[in-house]
């Protein structure tokens, strides 16, 4: 009997993850008008499963946003384990830009969450600051990144680059990230 309970729990977690992935994509692409049944169908589960995990649309939106943010931040340790710090930082910036542009598509949905009294952004800054701080610390240790740059400054510039993607092209965003990485890898006096 315990083995069956574990399997059910594992299946429930997999269903929840699929729902979050699909919801984040669908809300970013189609906005709030998407029916919960359509999200459940795309995730390969019944609508009852969706409501069991996420009793309201706002709870689903909030959870999808937080999951996407967590995945972006968790990517840092994987990248640092496999690549030198400067290369890992550049790769992470690409992940961040993708996340930020997808999040901008969810803005209407996130505004509905805020209107319901929940703050989906409450942990965002701390998670992102920790992720960038880990990249900068690794770059300081291996000598590949400047030591005089604060995580908050990196996030501010990355936010600006992500904003430019909505009003420019992907090529422009890549050029801006390359320019930013060039600045991060140049040693300045006192660094």
């Amino acid at each position: 009997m315990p083995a069956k309970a574990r399997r059910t729990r594992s299946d429930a977690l997999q269903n929840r993850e699929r729902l979050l992935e699909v919801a984040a994509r669908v809300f970013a692409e189609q906005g709030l008008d998407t029916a919960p049944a359509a999200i459940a169908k795309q995730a390969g589960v019944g609508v009852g499963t969706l409501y069991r995990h996420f009793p309201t649309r706002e709870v689903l939106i909030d959870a999808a946003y937080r999951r996407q943010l967590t995945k972006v931040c968790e990517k840092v340790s994987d990248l640092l384990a496999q690549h030198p710090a400067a290369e890992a930082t550049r790769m992470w910036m690409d992940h961040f830009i993708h996340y930020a542009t997808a999040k901008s598509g969810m803005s209407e949905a996130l505004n509905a969450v805020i209107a319901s009294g929940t703050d989906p952004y409450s942990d965002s800054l701390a998670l992102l600051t920790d992720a960038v701080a880990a990249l900068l610390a690794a770059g300081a240790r291996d000598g590949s990144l400047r030591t005089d740059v604060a995580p908050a400054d990196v996030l501010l510039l990355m936010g600006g680059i992500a904003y430019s993607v909505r009003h420019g092209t992907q090529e422009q965003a890549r050029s801006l990230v390359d320019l930013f990485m060039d600045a991060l890898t140049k040693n300045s006096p006192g660094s």
Side-chain angles (χ1 to χ4, degrees):
M1 191 75 161
K4 184 169 174 73
R6 266 192 223 129
R7 185 172 189 275
T8 302
R9 180 68 180 156
S10 174
D11 290 349
L13 289 174
Q14 290 172 358
N15 288 341
R16 185 178 194 285
E17 286 299 311
R18 272 196 317 275
L19 283 164
L20 291 174
E21 288 295 321
V22 170
R25 181 178 41 79
V26 169
F27 286 131
E29 293 171 357
Q30 300 171 17
L32 274 176
D33 294 333
T34 305
I39 292 170
K41 183 177 179 180
Q42 286 186 40
V45 301
V47 73
T49 299
L50 182 143
Y51 284 118
R52 195 168 26 261
H53 289 285
F54 310 103
T56 67
R57 182 185 309 260
E58 290 76 20
V59 170
L60 175 60
I61 295 165
D62 183 49
Y65 165 74
R66 289 176 192 266
R67 181 64 190 127
Q68 293 304 108
L69 174 66
T70 299
K71 285 176 67 174
V72 167
C73 293
E74 288 173 346
K75 192 77 175 159
V76 167
S77 59
D78 293 340
L79 291 170
L80 287 172
Q82 298 173 23
H83 304 281
E87 187 178 338
T89 300
R90 177 62 176 88
M91 294 169 81
W92 183 81
M93 287 180 175
D94 287 336
H95 289 287
F96 177 85
I97 295 295
H98 178 73
Y99 151 78
T101 55
K103 180 182 71 95
S104 71
M106 284 185 69
S107 62
E108 179 187 353
L110 289 167
N111 288 337
V113 171
I114 292 167
S116 75
T118 301
D119 181 4
Y121 304 115
S122 63
D123 301 325
S124 300
L125 183 58
L127 288 170
L128 288 167
T129 299
D130 289 348
V132 171
L135 291 164
L136 293 175
R141 281 191 304 275
D142 73 11
S144 65
L145 297 176
R146 292 171 52 160
T147 59
D148 62 338
V149 179
D153 294 337
V154 172
L155 288 173
L156 185 60
L157 285 168
M158 289 305 298
I161 293 170
Y163 178 80
S164 75
V165 172
R166 290 184 287 182
H167 302 286
T169 65
Q170 291 289 335
E171 292 78 27
Q172 287 171 317
R174 277 192 291 279
S175 288
L176 290 171
V177 170
D178 288 342
L179 183 61
F180 186 26
M181 279 304 301
D182 189 45
L184 278 177
T185 56
K186 299 293 181 198
N187 287 323
S188 66
S191 63

